[in-house]
Amino acid sequence: MKLLEYEAKEIAKKYGIPIPQGILIERPEQVNEAIEELGLPVVLKAQVPVAGRGKAGGVKLAKDPDEALEKAEQLFSMEIKGYPVLSVLVEKAENIKRELYLSFTIDRANRRIIMLASGEGGMEIEELAKEKPEAIIKLPIEPEIGLKAHEAREVGKKIGLSGNDLRQFEHIAKSMYKIFIDYDAELVESNPLAITDRGLVALDFRMIVDDNAIFRHPELEAARERELTETEKVAIRYGFFYVELDGDIGIIGNGAGLTMATMDVVNYYGGKPPNFLDIGVGARRDRVKAAVRLLLRNPRVKVIFVNIFGGITLASEVALGIVEALKETEIKKPIVARIVGTAEEEGKKILQEAGIPLFESMDEAAKEAVRIAKEVAA
Ligand code: GDP
Ligand code: MN
């Protein structure tokens, strides 16, 4: 989950990292009050969870109130990489002497958190990584020990820092590492970490938190709500697991393993699932019904493939859920099913009576689903 800049900066501030003084606004007119408090010039920054806002025109400098209002209006009318701008962070502009880069991320190949730093930060960091990779210093961190002060200092020296800047760099690096651990982050990044008149300041701050760890951080609930699609909210309400993808063969399985295997088989026969949908253990008809209705409503879904291996989950409950969903929804879509396990006979009977084709093997059902999807598309 990506935090917005202002959310990440609130965390940075708590950990003692210097950030620009700033005020979040939700309407362009509010920029005046912000200026009264902050003074001029200000930097206006669109709050969207994407990298490269600057290049997309999402960061604007304003020297007087008229210019600030005009630019705030421009920003609020923008959409950046698919995200409409709903809030803008107004910050007191800093006098930049030099832009550095500092981040912590996971180096999966080496199973280490890695610190990346460069003396040439700013908006061209991707180009730098490609054209001059040696300008980015990499420091793998020993998990048992954490980031050592002298290591952070060494990196600081390598990117050309000394004196007070170096001392501050060490402190900021240690704080960012602590944030990374405390928040179960996948990325903590400051670009630029700027050398200004008042020392090092994190002009930009980004954080990505591991989705699987969000339950450990109830204070991030608001950010999580924002990222969920309407469909994902329905899934949470009914207690199934749902991930949106971009194919056209809707999948419903029980258990993460079987659901993933179902997706693999569909892929194997040349199809593409638009979702991962695991109804979980012991699903009753209401949950199944909600799941089926969700896929019926998804315009991308051309056919639904239900693959159930009943254990605690009763095949009969699943079948009833499917049939009720079909009855209650006006949208009609072909469904294929493979249902085995507990209450199999009863389940099959219910589906047969509703005219839903049944398959004994997952392969056969997958092939049929792929065939139908192609037929519907043609
Ligand atoms: P990003 O493009 O989404 O990474 O947005 P940033 O927050 O990094 O801002 C992009 C660029 O705007 C930075 O690299 C800076 O050059 C510039 N910038 C941001 N804040 C300030 C500021 O307070 N003063 C000045 N002069 N430039 C700024
Ligand atoms: Mn940036």
Side-chain angles (χ1 to χ4, degrees):
M1 178 182 72
K2 296 187 177 91
L3 299 193
L4 291 176
E5 180 189 10
Y6 81 91
E7 293 165 334
K9 276 182 168 165
E10 275 170 18
I11 294 170
K13 194 175 173 181
K14 261 193 243 156
Y15 281 71
I17 297 170
I19 55 165
Q21 203 187 335
I23 292 170
L24 187 76
I25 63 171
E26 279 162 352
R27 281 176 290 117
E29 312 80 70
Q30 293 173 324
V31 79
N32 289 320
E33 293 163 45
I35 288 172
E36 270 170 36
E37 197 163 327
L38 300 171
L40 284 159
V42 288
V43 178
L44 306 174
K45 307 178 85 179
Q47 297 300 288
V48 282
V50 296
R53 277 172 318 172
K55 282 190 175 168
V59 178
K60 297 187 190 296
L61 185 78
K63 294 190 189 66
D64 61 65
D66 289 343
E67 191 187 6
L69 183 61
E70 190 188 318
K71 291 193 169 163
E73 277 166 353
Q74 279 172 17
L75 285 177
F76 276 101
S77 67
M78 279 173 79
E79 192 173 286
I80 300 176
K81 298 185 185 173
Y83 290 92
V85 177
L86 301 175
S87 60
V88 166
L89 181 61
V90 184
E91 284 185 338
K92 191 175 167 64
E94 301 275 353
N95 215 341
I96 304 176
K97 289 197 266 186
R98 203 174 141 203
E99 298 192 331
L100 311 173
Y101 176 90
L102 178 58
S103 76
F104 290 81
T105 184
I106 293 166
D107 178 358
R108 291 182 192 279
N110 293 310
R111 295 190 284 172
R112 290 278 185 281
I113 295 169
I114 187 169
M115 172 168 138
L116 301 172
S118 176
E120 301 173 50
M123 294 198 283
E124 305 300 331
I125 195 73
E126 267 97 22
E127 284 66 33
L128 186 74
K130 261 185 240 140
E131 283 151 30
K132 215 173 135 194
E134 69 279 7
I136 298 175
I137 310 297
K138 299 187 174 82
L139 173 75
I141 296 162
E142 203 57 56
E144 298 282 324
I145 299 167
L147 176 64
K148 285 177 277 188
H150 76 87
E151 286 180 333
R153 228 163 27 240
E154 275 318 302
V155 173
K157 278 185 202 159
K158 281 190 192 153
I159 64 169
L161 302 179
S162 60
N164 201 33
D165 292 343
L166 183 61
R167 267 190 296 281
Q168 252 194 308
F169 179 84
E170 177 193 321
H171 162 73
I172 292 171
K174 285 177 74 180
S175 304
M176 283 171 68
Y177 179 73
K178 188 153 190 339
I179 292 174
F180 193 98
I181 301 293
D182 289 355
Y183 280 86
D184 300 299
E186 288 173 351
L187 174 77
V188 175
E189 178 190 79
S190 181
N191 183 34
L193 172 61
I195 304 183
T196 72
D197 298 340
R198 61 178 181 110
L200 261 58
V201 178
L203 282 199
D204 193 10
F205 205 75
R206 290 216 303 144
M207 278 175 68
I208 302 177
V209 175
D210 184 342
D211 285 336
N212 299 303
I214 292 170
F215 74 97
R216 303 198 329 166
H217 308 284
E219 72 280 15
L220 301 179
E221 199 52 45
R224 186 167 98 113
E225 282 276 311
R226 187 185 55 235
E227 282 222 333
L228 292 175
T229 62
E230 284 312 308
T231 314
E232 285 164 339
K233 284 182 194 162
V234 171
I236 288 173
R237 176 144 30 93
Y238 284 95
F240 51 83
F241 305 95
Y242 182 86
V243 180
E244 218 151 271
L245 304 166
D246 63 0
D248 57 8
I249 300 172
I251 305 260
I252 295 179
N254 67 316
L258 180 66
T259 309
M260 283 195 274
T262 310
M263 294 171 71
D264 285 349
V265 175
V266 165
N267 274 312
Y268 179 79
Y269 287 111
K272 251 184 120 181
N275 70 283
F276 168 93
L277 197 166
D278 165 15
I279 55 172
V281 176
R284 311 283 305 198
R285 74 187 76 169
D286 280 354
R287 195 191 293 168
V288 177
K289 194 159 91 180
V292 174
R293 290 179 61 132
L294 207 109
L295 294 188
L296 286 172
R297 280 205 309 271
N298 182 342
R300 274 206 300 270
V301 173
K302 298 203 177 78
V303 51
I304 297 172
F305 172 15
V306 183
N307 188 11
I308 302 295
F309 190 96
I312 298 169
T313 307
L314 302 178
S316 53
E317 281 292 313
V318 174
L320 283 169
I322 296 172
V323 172
E324 284 178 18
L326 288 176
K327 261 192 215 145
E328 289 171 19
T329 319
E330 296 200 348
I331 312 162
K332 302 289 171 231
K333 283 178 185 173
I335 296 188
V336 301
R338 177 254 189 183
I339 290 196
V340 296
T342 317
E344 176 178 332
E345 291 315 314
E346 218 183 318
K348 281 181 172 165
K349 191 161 160 272
I350 295 164
L351 292 177
Q352 251 152 12
E353 280 168 9
I356 292 169
L358 288 169
F359 294 85
E360 286 304 317
S361 87
M362 188 157 141
D363 277 78
E364 291 304 313
K367 266 193 235 171
E368 177 63 5
V370 173
R371 189 193 66 75
I372 294 174
K374 290 203 173 120
E375 195 178 274
V376 176

